[in-house]
Amino acid sequence: MTLRVARLSEPPAPAPPRDGAGKLIEIRALEKRFRTRSGDVVQALSNVDLSIAENEFISVVGPSGCGKTTLLRILAGLEQASSGAAMVAGETISAPRPDVGVVFQQATLLPWNTVLDNVLLPVQLRGDKSPESRERALSLLAFMGLGEFAKKYPFELSGGMQQRVSICRALMRDPKILLMDEPFGALDAMTREMLNMELMRLWSEERKTVVFITHSIPEAVLLGDRVVVMSPRPGRISEVLTVDIPRPRSLKTMALPRFGEICDEIRSRFGAELYTEIAL
Ligand SMILES: Nc1ncnc2c1ncn2[C@@H]1O[C@H](COP(=O)(O)OP(=O)(O)OP(=O)(O)O)[C@@H](O)[C@H]1O
Ligand SMILES: [Mg+2]
């Protein structure tokens, strides 16, 4: 089944088979240091190495302050690495790229714009006011179950609906890569589960490459092909686990014994780190 969303350009070639697909994102010996206002240096990321294949869904979990957002911002071109490299399709990321869409925890919609104009923003900033763009925005909204809300304003929408609008906005330029920083963190459990299902549907139909940060281990396992576990101070990758649960997955997947085993495995890695911290 294919997503019936009008595209702005020719559809890309069919996705390559997932095994043997090329590495779309390469992170090599990545370090990030921040100088704080008081002059201290904070080592946010240390020696991060990760390769992400085209069409892969990567979940990232780790304790607060371990550098997840920093990593995502570097991939988004919003932050520069102190050393090492982060590349998309072999090119060093030095600025935001049109083939990378970003969704943050807060929907950050413009309150004075309608839902439709918020979704159209990325193309309107380029001076594109074409009917094709409008059609794509409307089909994205319809795909996300918001077809009737195009003319409403953000304040007239629930938090979950606003977050769906921000996902539509990130998809407007048909990015190959979707970077998501705790996009459902502020939502209630039921809305969150529903959006998890919608995100899986979107990913399976549009075959994006997704990097998804979450504080929820079950969410990370439900959605991910692999789960990257990060450890704090300085943030580094402590483990990368493959989720060997076949797709399609649904909320029922969470009742499988294997699902529980993988969640426990991740929790124990977390635990080991945390106990070390406490013991110190
Ligand atoms: N602009 C900045 N200036 C100084 N320090 C920063 C800056 N941005 C992040 N940091 C520091 O870098 C570290 C990692 O922060 P980051 O926001 O990436 O963590 P995180 O894993 O996303 O945390 P959370 O789960 O709470 O969102 C923290 O110690 C933070 O204080
Ligand atoms: Mg963060």
Side-chain angles (χ1 to χ4, degrees):
M1 200 162 97
T2 50
L3 172 57
R4 289 169 296 284
V5 170
R7 291 181 182 277
L8 292 178
S9 53
E10 282 299 298
R18 310 237 343 258
D19 293 338
K23 300 298 180 203
L24 183 59
I25 302 175
E26 290 275 3
I27 303 167
R28 290 279 160 263
L30 189 72
E31 306 263 338
K32 178 65 185 178
R33 288 173 288 280
F34 289 107
R35 188 169 289 280
T36 63
R37 288 193 180 184
S38 55
D40 303 335
V41 173
V42 176
Q43 179 91 31
L45 292 172
S46 176
N47 201 22
V48 174
D49 276 296
L50 185 66
S51 297
I52 300 175
E54 200 161 353
N55 306 135
E56 226 185 341
F57 197 118
I58 294 287
S59 302
V60 182
V61 294
S64 181
C66 74
K68 303 180 295 295
T69 296
T70 303
L71 178 62
L72 194 108
R73 286 177 59 81
I74 292 172
L75 293 177
L78 298 169
E79 201 81 68
Q80 298 301 312
S82 304
S83 63
M87 289 171 284
V88 167
E91 291 171 17
T92 300
I93 305 163
S94 54
R97 300 169 54 103
D99 53 356
V100 176
V102 189
V103 179
F104 296 104
Q105 182 169 7
Q106 300 298 332
T108 60
L109 303 175
L110 297 178
W112 54 84
N113 270 1
T114 62
V115 162
L116 178 60
D117 284 339
N118 267 289
V119 177
L120 281 169
L121 191 70
V123 294
Q124 284 183 344
L125 286 174
R126 294 186 304 166
D128 174 355
K129 297 195 171 150
S130 65
E132 292 78 18
S133 292
R134 197 182 148 82
E135 195 191 326
R136 175 166 172 81
L138 287 170
S139 13
L140 280 166
L141 285 168
F143 179 77
M144 281 294 188
L146 293 171
E148 294 162 34
F149 294 87
K151 296 212 169 117
K152 302 271 189 238
Y153 286 84
F155 76 90
E156 297 173 289
L157 271 53
S158 70
M161 291 158 89
Q162 291 185 25
Q163 199 54 299
R164 277 186 271 161
V165 174
S166 73
I167 294 172
C168 292
R169 184 182 55 191
L171 292 171
M172 192 54 212
R173 292 175 74 181
D174 200 13
K176 280 174 92 122
I177 298 169
L178 202 50
L179 305 174
M180 308 182 88
D181 191 357
E182 295 186 54
F184 309 140
L187 305 176
D188 66 90
M190 271 176 70
T191 307
R192 189 172 183 147
E193 287 185 347
M194 191 189 74
L195 288 180
N196 281 170
M197 292 304 109
E198 286 186 5
L199 179 58
M200 268 205 280
R201 183 168 62 106
L202 173 85
W203 172 79
S204 67
E205 294 187 8
E206 284 243 308
R207 309 302 290 165
K208 303 287 180 204
T209 302
V210 180
V211 180
F212 184 91
I213 293 175
T214 176
H215 274 127
S216 161
I217 293 173
E219 186 175 65
V221 175
L222 178 65
L223 297 175
D225 291 318
R226 289 187 291 157
V227 179
V228 171
V229 183
M230 292 184 65
S231 58
R233 279 189 293 275
R236 62 210 133 79
I237 293 177
S238 63
E239 200 86 34
V240 182
L241 288 101
T242 299
V243 181
D244 53 1
I245 297 175
R247 296 183 189 270
R249 300 179 193 158
S250 72
L251 293 179
K252 286 186 183 161
T253 303
M254 293 196 274
L256 296 175
R258 183 65 190 139
F259 185 88
E261 281 166 23
I262 299 174
C263 288
D264 277 351
E265 215 171 311
I266 296 171
R267 267 186 212 107
S268 71
R269 313 293 159 104
F270 253 107
E273 293 287 344
L274 292 175
Y275 294 145
T276 312
E277 290 274 303
I278 292 162
L280 289 172

